[in-house]
């Protein structure tokens, strides 16, 4: 699996915007500079995110972009969808399909992997990303704590 540049840049830029807090609209040029993303490209991504009800724009000298909703209500799945992207595992998991599905030993594996990732993206909010609390981190932290509890001092 490989995430597209669009998805990576979009998530980085939104995380940056969210991290600025409630300080008002943030200029694309500021985000582009901090994240080392071409400003023209970022403007195109933000247009998609605005149409997807992720961002809203403010015109004027102090203009820029704000989140359209609280960060805790915006999921990574919504962001990926608003950017017009999808996450796939080979052609068999796309609309193009595969003529070997019936005999393919890995088809159901990739479908389960894709479904698991979809669930994680739906359960992870922009706020989670900014707070660096993804489901994986929580899961591994819980496992580490269980491991610590199970260790016996000799």
């Amino acid at each position: 699996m490989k995430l597209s540049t669009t998805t990576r840049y979009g998530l980085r830029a939104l995380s940056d915007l969210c991290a600025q807090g409630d300080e008002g609209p943030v200029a694309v040029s500021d985000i582009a500079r901090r994240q080392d993303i071409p400003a023209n490209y970022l403007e195109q991504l933000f247009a998609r995110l605005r149409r997807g009800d992720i961002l809203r724009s403010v015109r004027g000298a102090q203009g820029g972009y704000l989140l359209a909703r609280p960060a805790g209500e915006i999921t990574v799945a919504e962001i990926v969808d608003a950017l017009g992207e999808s996450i796939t595992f080979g052609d068999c998991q796309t609309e193009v399909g595969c003529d070997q599905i019936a005999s393919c030993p890995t088809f159901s594996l990739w479908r389960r992997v894709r479904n698991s990732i979809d669930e994680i993206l739906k359960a992870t909010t922009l706020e989670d990303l900014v707070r660096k609390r993804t489901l994986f981190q929580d899961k591994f932290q819980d496992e580490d704590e269980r491991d610590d509890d199970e260790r016996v001092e000799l």
Side-chain angles (χ1 to χ4, degrees):
M1 174 190 88
K2 183 176 181 181
L3 294 177
S4 69
T5 300
T6 298
T7 299
R8 287 183 288 115
Y9 282 3
L11 289 171
R12 280 177 34 205
L14 286 173
S15 295
D16 184 290
L17 177 77
C18 184
Q20 302 310 308
D22 296 327
E23 297 177 16
V26 180
V28 168
S29 59
D30 293 340
I31 297 170
R33 186 182 69 259
R34 284 191 297 266
Q35 295 300 317
D36 194 28
I37 299 171
N40 290 340
Y41 188 68
L42 190 54
E43 208 43 90
Q44 293 172 22
L45 297 184
F46 275 20
R48 292 181 192 180
L49 293 166
R50 192 176 62 247
R51 286 190 299 271
D53 193 36
I54 304 294
L55 293 177
R56 65 183 177 93
S57 60
V58 177
R59 295 181 183 261
Q62 301 298 316
Y65 287 91
L66 299 165
L67 294 176
R69 296 175 276 140
E73 295 177 11
I74 300 171
T75 68
V76 174
E78 289 178 280
I79 295 166
V80 171
D81 186 54
L83 289 169
E85 297 293 302
S86 63
I87 297 172
T88 60
F89 297 87
D91 289 338
C92 66
Q93 301 297 311
T94 66
E95 291 178 13
V96 174
C98 172
D99 59 359
Q100 301 295 318
I101 290 175
S103 62
C104 179
T106 62
F107 177 79
S108 66
L109 169 67
W110 298 131
R111 172 154 293 161
R112 288 192 333 260
V113 169
R114 187 198 67 211
N115 290 343
S116 295
I117 288 175
D118 287 346
E119 288 305 311
I120 291 168
L121 297 180
K122 288 175 187 174
T124 305
T125 67
L126 184 56
E127 182 178 57
D128 293 332
L129 291 180
V130 172
R131 290 185 176 179
K132 299 182 186 204
R133 293 192 60 224
T134 65
L135 291 177
F136 279 129
Q137 287 171 322
D138 290 345
K139 180 180 184 292
F140 291 135
Q141 181 179 0
D142 290 345
E143 287 175 1
D144 288 345
E145 288 171 2
R146 277 195 305 271
D147 289 346
D148 288 344
D149 291 342
E150 293 171 1
R151 288 191 182 111
V152 177
E153 294 290 326
L154 295 178

